[in-house]
Amino acid sequence: MKFDLNRLVRENVRELKPYSSARDEYISDGSKMVFIDANESPYSNGINRYPDPQQRQLKTLLAKTFSLSPANILLGNGSDEVLDLIFRAFCEPHKDNIITMPPTYGMYKVLAGINAIENREVLLTESFELDVDKILESKNSNTKVIFLCSPNNPTGNSFSGIHIENLLNNFQGLIVIDEAYIDFATKSSWLNRFDQFPNLIVTRTFSKAYGMAGLRLGVCYASEDIITILNRIKPPYNVNELTQRKALQMIQNTALLEEQITEILAERDRMIRQLAEINYINKIYPTDANFILVKVDDADKRYKEILESGVVVRNRSTQPLCDNTLRFTIGTPKENETLLKILNSL
Ligand SMILES: *Cc1c(COP(=O)(O)O)cnc(C)c1O
């Protein structure tokens, strides 16, 4: 069966004409033109103009960085907005379904609920790997999207490339690979595989390695055809002026980014060695991300003890396959030392 994108698009979206904003036609980029077209305030303060709805400068920079075209990129107010746009473009409420693989990032399920889309859950295997046969068995003709997170939150591992490729080849809907943690991973990204896999969407975020969680900037990379559809439904000014400007500035400081990632990876290795010495930590799961999932003797008790010592970690015990697990984000060397001291004193 051939991949047919048009079949996947919601009917109302297929027909939709996007809102054409004043700034879609002309952006006020410091040129000598007089802009009295958008009912903005004329008094310059750095943010009196609407931002570029197509975020041209940012996309050009990202496209260059990843050897793509700006037409392969959609930006959103955090990757949460990007994920929501995917639901709203492709999933018909009360009719379509998606597949997710718990334990994983909670937002896919929440967004399915908000959009009235059935969420079919296929558990990861005991070793937190994709169960490709079960995933393919659970789809039907209304399955529009499979969401997979690699490296996966909260388990930390990346999925086997062969399994992912198998899914891409055998599913005629969309496959979203959430690469929020890819900058910490040894496994390679799926970013440059759109020609080979027309059903592939890769999402990324500036909230983790890039250090801009407060900025709210998420990215969707996909074929031009998919991006064109998402652009049709995105709010015109979804990425504000301050975010665009700050991100442009920070993305160009690649030396700092690389230095921070190197330190986090070194700290991660050190933490793994130190955590292995603690007798109530029964298992340290392999990680390709900036956090470590561990299994302890009694997660609720340990969580409370750590909290009372002034450190907030994440208790993931309510997630399937994650009984008695805690998730530790890698902090600064000093913060990590604080956690280790507490853990060693319990
Ligand atoms: C943290 C995280 C994100 C980030 O979402 P933003 O809305 O961009 O901050 C996305 N996906 C996963 C799996 C995450 O853990």
Side-chain angles (χ1 to χ4, degrees):
M1 193 163 62
K2 219 181 136 312
F3 178 68
D4 177 6
L5 182 62
N6 211 38
R7 178 189 72 85
L8 299 176
V9 182
R10 280 176 65 187
E11 212 172 292
N12 64 316
V13 175
R14 226 178 279 154
E15 323 266 300
L16 200 70
K17 278 253 181 312
Y19 171 73
S20 172
S21 70
R23 289 288 157 268
D24 261 319
E25 288 155 39
Y26 297 98
I27 29 173
S28 40
D29 56 357
S31 69
K32 289 283 171 281
M33 304 285 277
V34 173
F35 287 97
I36 47 175
D37 58 341
N39 302 344
E40 299 152 331
S41 166
Y43 305 110
S44 179
N45 61 10
I47 48 170
N48 60 310
R49 298 293 177 189
Y50 279 106
D52 174 7
Q54 290 304 325
Q55 308 100 19
R56 281 160 255 225
Q57 278 184 290
L58 249 180
K59 282 186 193 167
T60 303
L61 179 62
L62 290 173
K64 209 172 98 202
T65 309
F66 297 114
S67 309
L68 293 163
S69 147
N72 294 119
I73 306 176
L74 176 119
L75 299 175
N77 182 22
S79 46
D80 290 344
E81 184 187 36
V82 166
L83 295 168
D84 187 50
L85 288 173
I86 295 170
F87 272 95
R88 290 197 286 140
F90 298 104
C91 300
E92 199 68 50
H94 303 292
K95 179 176 162 217
D96 289 335
N97 66 74
I98 59 153
I99 302 176
T100 60
M101 283 72 75
T104 191
Y105 186 46
M107 249 349 246
Y108 317 131
K109 183 179 188 164
V110 169
L111 289 170
I114 291 170
N115 287 289
I117 301 302
E118 181 197 349
N119 175 32
R120 300 190 167 192
E121 300 190 311
V122 179
L123 285 195
L124 296 176
T125 64
E126 286 290 329
S127 57
F128 297 146
E129 192 45 81
L130 297 169
D131 192 332
V132 175
D133 290 341
K134 280 220 183 94
I135 294 168
L136 292 174
E137 270 165 35
S138 74
K139 71 180 164 66
N140 68 2
S141 59
N142 288 324
T143 306
K144 292 292 187 71
V145 192
I146 295 176
F147 287 90
L148 59 93
C149 181
S150 185
N152 188 38
N153 178 7
T155 60
N157 61 306
S158 295
F159 298 130
S160 135
I162 294 168
H163 287 347
I164 294 178
E165 195 154 335
N166 208 339
L167 282 176
L168 283 162
N169 281 324
N170 291 292
F171 176 58
Q172 300 306 315
L174 297 166
I175 299 203
V176 173
I177 304 183
D178 184 339
E179 292 191 338
Y181 299 98
I182 195 71
D183 303 287
F184 304 105
T186 50
K187 284 247 171 79
S188 48
S189 164
W190 292 81
L191 256 197
N192 299 89
R193 310 290 295 274
F194 303 124
D195 289 341
Q196 191 182 355
F197 303 113
N199 56 343
L200 171 63
I201 296 179
V202 173
T203 61
R204 293 218 183 158
T205 178
F206 285 87
S207 300
K208 306 287 155 64
Y210 280 80
M212 302 182 233
L215 208 57
R216 310 309 301 133
L217 184 60
V219 196
C220 175
Y221 297 96
S223 72
E224 271 192 59
D225 290 346
I226 293 175
I227 297 298
T228 302
I229 290 161
L230 294 173
N231 263 325
R232 242 188 252 166
I233 65 164
K234 102 176 172 56
Y237 304 116
N238 62 330
V239 180
N240 72 67
E241 179 64 29
L242 296 177
T243 293
Q244 293 191 43
R245 225 182 288 154
K246 185 78 182 174
L248 264 174
Q249 191 190 80
M250 287 183 70
I251 292 168
Q252 305 198 51
N253 195 348
T254 49
L256 179 67
L257 175 70
E258 279 166 27
E259 192 183 303
Q260 291 176 346
I261 291 173
T262 304
E263 177 163 289
I264 285 174
L265 293 180
E267 281 294 292
R268 186 178 76 187
D269 288 349
R270 184 174 77 88
M271 290 296 284
I272 290 171
R273 287 196 303 273
Q274 300 284 319
L275 293 171
E277 304 292 317
I278 296 171
N279 59 28
Y280 57 85
I281 293 183
N282 299 327
K283 184 159 185 169
I284 302 167
Y285 293 92
T287 176
D288 229 5
N290 66 333
F291 56 84
I292 304 171
L293 188 75
V294 299
K295 196 183 263 304
V296 296
D297 55 348
D298 183 341
D300 290 346
K301 171 167 160 254
R302 299 302 178 190
Y303 174 81
K304 238 172 109 206
E305 289 170 346
I306 299 167
L307 189 63
E308 277 159 9
S309 309
V311 172
V312 187
V313 302
R314 196 96 159 110
N315 187 350
R316 295 283 70 191
S317 303
T318 54
Q319 291 261 316
L321 308 174
C322 291
D323 312 339
N324 285 316
T325 57
L326 299 175
R327 191 189 68 196
F328 305 140
T329 304
I330 306 299
T332 62
K334 191 159 163 262
E335 289 172 333
N336 301 332
E337 211 39 55
T338 303
L339 173 64
L340 284 173
K341 268 216 189 83
I342 294 166
L343 293 176
N344 278 307
S345 72
L346 301 182

